[in-house]
């Protein structure tokens, strides 16, 4: 399953290749409450078919109607990009289903050969972050290496948007917890790679959509070179597998690195990584351990939910102190005398 931006770009490219008129619609700015954030994409073809969204549905309905009844020239004069706002007045807000006072600004771009959608899709496939600069006067597009994320930047004559590769989750260890984590990550449009060199673990592990690797975990991490859209989670409880992968992951650009285990085992892991492998305090502080947010989870599915919630929080830029992490939640729980000092590993989150 591809992420939504890729689905939109791929549909727009395919429709254009088939000879259909196509609009690429980008949410550039919002004021007040809005259903979709800046950077959201939608593609509309001349038949009124769409992929993606820019609102809860009513703006899409209006754009589809205009394209079907009046053609692309009605919204993009002379085939050039156009800027459009919805929800400026209270009447428009009510008409288009926007919250009171909400305003959505869109850039509508006719897709053409110079839109460079194929090149942009290839960059995403190669995990290269890209800055896309659209000339609003001519429709010409320039692609340059860029940062992985960012809100659109709109001026009178230019729209700059940012595209990055699909988010990726590397799981060390194939088991029940990995299966639940993989299912959740796939539903969130992550690419999932499960690594386990143990044949007996791999023999019963199957999940459509996830890639299963039999490499040693540290070899896999070194080969993939985790970028800023990659998370790595160690799940085996075996230092020979987990620790070596964590060493390389903590020295990469991965936005999240975590490992399961009790608080005692987490402290022992930090000591090993510091004393035997020379990791510094900054690298050790980047390790989420025990992995996950504290939700009182006990079953593999609940533990997976806890870990995936922390991964998504990190992905979305939520500071670690904002959610309650596992160690803090456990401390508060244990202070109430509700549990033993060192929980079994399966209850670590």
């Amino acid at each position: 399953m591809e992420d939504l931006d890729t689905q939109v770009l791929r549909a727009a490219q395919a429709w254009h290749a088939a000879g259909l008129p196509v609009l690429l619609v980008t949410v550039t700015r919002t004021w007040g409450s809005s259903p979709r954030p800046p950077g959201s994409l939608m593609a509309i073809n001349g038949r009124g078919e769409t992929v993606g969204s820019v609102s809860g549905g009513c703006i899409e309905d209006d754009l589809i109607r205009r394209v079907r009844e009046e053609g692309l020239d009605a919204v993009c004069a002379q085939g050039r990009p156009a800027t459009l706002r919805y929800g400026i007045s209270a009447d428009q807000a009510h008409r288009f289903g926007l919250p009171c006072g909400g305003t959505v600004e869109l850039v509508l771009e006719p897709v053409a050969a110079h839109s460079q959608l194929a090149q942009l899709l290839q960059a995403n496939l190669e995990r290269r972050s890209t800055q896309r600069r659209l000339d609003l006067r001519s429709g010409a597009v320039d692609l340059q290496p860029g940062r992985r994320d960012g809100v659109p930047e709109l001026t009178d004559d230019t729209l700059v948007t940012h595209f990055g590769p699909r988010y990726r989750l590397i799981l060390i260890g194939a088991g029940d917890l990995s299966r639940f984590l993989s299912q959740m990550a796939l539903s969130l449009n992550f690419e999932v790679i499960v690594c386990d060199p143990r044949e007996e673990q791999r023999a019963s592990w199957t999940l459509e959509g996830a890639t299963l690797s039999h490499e040693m975990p540290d070899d896999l991490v070194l080969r993939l070179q985790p970028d800023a859209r990659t998370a790595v989670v160690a799940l085996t409880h075996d230092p020979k597998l987990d620790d070596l992968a964590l060493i390389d992951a903590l020295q990469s650009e991965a936005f999240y690195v975590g490992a399961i285990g009790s608080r005692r085992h987490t402290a022992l892991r930090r000591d090993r990584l510091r004393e035997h492998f020379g990791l510094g305090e900054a690298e050790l502080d980047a390790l989420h351990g025990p992995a996950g947010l504290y939700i009182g989870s006990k079953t593999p599915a609940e533990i997976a939910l806890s870990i995936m919630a922390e991964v998504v929080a990190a992905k979305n830029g939520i500071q670690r102190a904002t959610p309650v992490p596992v160690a803090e939640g456990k401390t508060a729980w244990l202070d109430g005398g509700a549990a033993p000092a060192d929980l079994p590993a399966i209850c670590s989150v």
Side-chain angles (χ1 to χ4, degrees):
M1 181 186 297
E2 295 178 322
D3 63 274
L4 186 55
D5 282 355
T6 301
Q7 292 176 37
V8 171
L9 295 172
R10 197 173 299 285
Q13 180 195 28
W15 288 334
H16 174 68
L20 291 170
V22 183
L23 279 181
L24 184 64
V25 185
T26 305
V27 178
T28 55
R29 289 183 288 199
T30 64
W31 293 264
S33 299
S34 62
R36 298 285 285 137
S40 299
L41 294 178
M42 178 178 71
I44 310 175
N45 68 25
R47 296 193 294 249
E49 298 167 331
T50 67
V51 175
S53 64
V54 294
S55 78
C58 296
I59 290 177
E60 286 88 343
D61 290 345
D62 185 65
L63 288 172
I64 291 168
R65 179 192 60 78
R66 294 178 64 180
V67 168
R68 278 178 171 169
E69 295 179 1
E70 306 170 37
L72 266 59
D73 285 342
V75 290
C76 292
Q78 299 178 334
R80 291 196 295 265
T83 302
L84 192 62
R85 287 186 182 180
Y86 284 91
I88 297 175
S89 68
D91 177 66
Q92 282 180 307
H94 175 74
R95 176 185 172 195
F96 295 111
L98 295 172
C100 182
T103 300
V104 177
E105 181 180 65
L106 309 173
V107 165
L108 283 62
E109 172 192 351
V111 173
H114 57 240
S115 300
Q116 298 200 57
L117 298 188
Q119 295 88 332
L120 183 57
L121 284 164
Q122 185 62 32
N124 286 350
L125 185 64
E126 295 173 0
R127 303 197 66 81
R128 291 187 282 115
S129 296
T130 306
Q131 173 185 280
R132 184 176 189 265
R133 183 179 297 272
L134 170 67
D135 188 323
L136 299 178
R137 298 163 299 185
S138 65
V141 168
D142 177 59
L143 300 180
Q144 295 292 336
R147 61 181 186 269
R148 65 187 176 97
D149 290 306
V151 297
E153 303 156 36
L154 181 66
T155 66
D156 290 341
D157 53 18
T158 304
L159 171 65
V160 176
T161 49
H162 305 275
F163 294 86
R166 184 181 180 188
Y167 280 93
R168 179 171 58 185
L169 177 63
I170 299 173
L171 299 175
I172 309 303
D176 289 338
L177 181 51
S178 294
R179 189 183 311 279
F180 285 113
L181 265 170
S182 296
Q183 290 170 339
M184 293 178 189
L186 288 168
S187 72
L188 293 166
N189 275 326
F190 278 72
E191 175 190 1
V192 177
I193 301 170
V194 178
C195 178
D196 201 321
R198 301 169 297 181
E199 185 176 354
E200 63 277 10
Q201 292 292 327
R202 299 196 312 272
S204 60
W205 206 99
T206 57
L207 180 65
E208 185 177 353
T211 300
L212 183 62
S213 168
H214 58 78
E215 296 171 79
M216 286 298 293
D218 54 320
D219 291 338
L220 176 75
V221 173
L222 283 172
R223 177 173 66 81
L224 294 180
Q225 291 294 305
D227 55 28
R229 287 197 172 206
T230 301
V232 181
V233 186
L235 304 170
T236 73
H237 297 291
D238 184 344
K240 297 189 299 295
L241 300 178
D242 288 350
D243 285 7
L244 294 177
L246 291 172
I247 292 166
D248 295 320
L250 288 169
Q251 297 178 88
S252 73
E253 296 181 3
F255 73 88
Y256 178 96
V257 180
I260 62 169
S262 65
R263 290 177 300 155
R264 180 171 67 86
H265 286 117
T266 295
L268 290 173
R269 177 186 291 114
R270 286 177 64 95
D271 290 341
R272 288 196 304 271
L273 297 181
R274 180 189 300 108
E275 294 171 14
H276 300 295
F277 298 100
L279 265 64
E281 292 305 313
E283 293 165 326
L284 292 171
D285 288 343
L287 176 62
H288 294 256
L293 304 181
Y294 182 72
I295 59 173
S297 51
K298 297 177 176 62
T299 67
E302 291 175 346
I303 295 170
L305 175 62
S306 165
I307 295 172
M308 203 64 220
E310 189 173 47
V311 170
V312 172
K315 163 186 170 292
N316 292 339
I318 302 299
Q319 297 299 316
R320 292 180 64 174
T322 304
V324 179
V326 170
E328 182 180 332
K330 276 190 170 182
T331 300
W333 185 27
L334 295 174
D335 285 346
D342 194 22
L343 299 178
I346 196 65
C347 298
S348 63
V349 290

